[in-house]
Amino acid sequence: MTADEPEYDDIAIRFLEALWGEGYLSPGGPDEVDRVLAGLSLKDKSVLDIGCGAGGIALHLVEHHDAGHVTGFDIEAPVIFRARERAAAKGLSDRADFVQAPPGRLPFADGSFDVVFSKDALLHVPDKDALFADIFRVLKPGGVFAASDWLISHDGEPSADMKAYVDAEGLSFSMASPGRYRLAMERAGFHDIVVSDRNAWYRDVARDELARLKGPLFGQAVAAVGKAYVAKNIRTWEAMQKVLDSGEHRPTHLRGRKPD
């Protein structure tokens, strides 16, 4: 991936929004975001949304969780452009801003945020230790990390089915196990770590998504991105369903706290 070749270009954005809702580039929509944040108040808090995509989640955190200010961060220009447009259209640019920067150290000062949130984006980062150390750095003392991400059940050689799925996605996945994520969070200094498996939930949701792609959503998706692109993604969902059903693909919720 390069700055000139984004993985989430306009076609990908149109397709994923047709499937998951306006502003959403990962499954579950606002309901799953709310489940990630269950029991956590964002009222008047400063929030960083890592891998913010097209901005739907950041604006949801302002509109429905009363976050004081949300900073969306992503490495890709097309999604940041869409997010800024969406914030402006809603009159929320003063409470939600969007930052693009290359992969690497987060471009924010130490102790900048009360909460760091992420939705199915951290799997793109290979170095989990460096990732969680950086998330820990930008949190204020007492701050909370709350996220979901796509994990793999083990840290060994992926199965042939998992390799076929990742190849079908064509994205820069660097999946790791729940144990590897917990260890990286512990090494960074997080306390009260909670790792919650979501395979059973997404196994059923993905099956419904595939049925919709093949059925009632097919025409709408073709109109948005073309028949070949939809057919390619149907094959991707079929490959994903295999590793969800086998349990090798483990969507997971993550929570941790930076000590006071």
Side-chain angles (χ1 to χ4, degrees), residues 22 119 123 171 202 212 230:
E22 184 177 331
K119 180 72 167 66
L123 77 162
L171 301 173
Y202 192 51
R212 288 166 56 215
V230 175

Side-chain angles (χ1 to χ4, degrees), residues 220-231:
Q220 178 187 341
V222 168
V225 298
K227 189 173 183 178
Y229 195 90
V230 175

Side-chain angles (χ1 to χ4, degrees), residues 11-260:
I11 295 176
I13 293 168
R14 290 199 302 273
F15 173 77
L16 294 175
E17 287 186 335
L19 183 62
W20 288 327
E22 184 177 331
Y24 286 83
L25 305 185
S26 65
D31 290 343
E32 182 66 358
V33 172
D34 294 345
R35 287 187 284 264
V36 172
L37 295 168
L40 179 62
S41 173
L42 300 188
K43 183 173 175 58
D44 301 327
K45 300 288 180 66
S46 59
V47 182
L48 173 63
D49 178 8
I50 297 177
C52 65
I57 291 174
L59 299 180
H60 177 74
L61 301 185
V62 171
E63 293 180 295
H64 297 280
H65 288 266
D66 206 19
H69 190 276
V70 179
T71 298
F73 170 75
D74 210 290
I75 66 170
E76 298 201 336
V79 294
I80 291 292
F81 179 79
R82 287 288 190 92
R84 288 171 177 163
E85 277 193 328
R86 186 163 282 115
K90 287 177 170 282
L92 293 175
S93 297
D94 59 332
R95 294 182 62 190
D97 68 314
F98 297 91
V99 175
Q100 181 199 2
R105 182 180 170 90
L106 292 166
F108 307 105
D110 296 1
S112 294
F113 301 98
D114 297 303
V115 175
V116 172
F117 176 89
S118 185
K119 180 72 167 66
D120 306 336
L122 304 181
L123 77 162
H124 295 293
V125 182
D127 189 337
K128 307 305 181 189
D129 287 322
L131 168 67
F132 284 106
D134 210 22
I135 291 171
F136 189 87
R137 176 185 66 79
V138 301
L139 275 170
K140 297 177 182 178
V144 175
F145 166 71
S148 70
D149 203 27
W150 285 16
L151 280 61
I152 189 171
S153 62
H154 59 91
D155 290 312
E157 183 75 7
S159 70
D161 282 344
M162 179 60 83
K163 289 178 179 177
Y165 162 58
V166 173
D167 286 346
E169 284 279 16
L171 301 173
S172 56
F173 282 5
S174 295
M175 301 172 83
S177 70
R180 181 71 188 89
Y181 270 70
R182 180 183 287 275
L183 179 60
M185 292 176 70
E186 289 173 348
R187 287 173 173 170
F190 282 101
H191 288 192
D192 305 327
I193 297 169
V194 178
V195 179
S196 305
D197 186 85
R198 297 288 287 159
N199 171 273
W201 167 77
Y202 192 51
R203 189 171 64 235
D204 291 340
V205 169
R207 188 172 287 111
D208 178 67
E209 290 168 351
L210 179 58
R212 288 166 56 215
L213 279 175
K214 290 181 173 180
L217 190 59
F218 183 80
Q220 178 187 341
V222 168
V225 298
K227 189 173 183 178
Y229 195 90
V230 175
K232 180 262 185 193
N233 277 279
I234 287 173
R235 293 191 296 271
T236 299
W237 253 251
E238 289 172 340
M240 178 172 64
Q241 195 68 56
K242 290 182 180 180
V243 289
L244 285 166
D245 288 345
S246 74
E248 193 171 14
H249 184 358
R250 310 301 303 189
T252 299
H253 288 184
L254 306 158
R255 183 79 66 93
R257 180 180 61 84
K258 183 173 182 174
D260 294 326

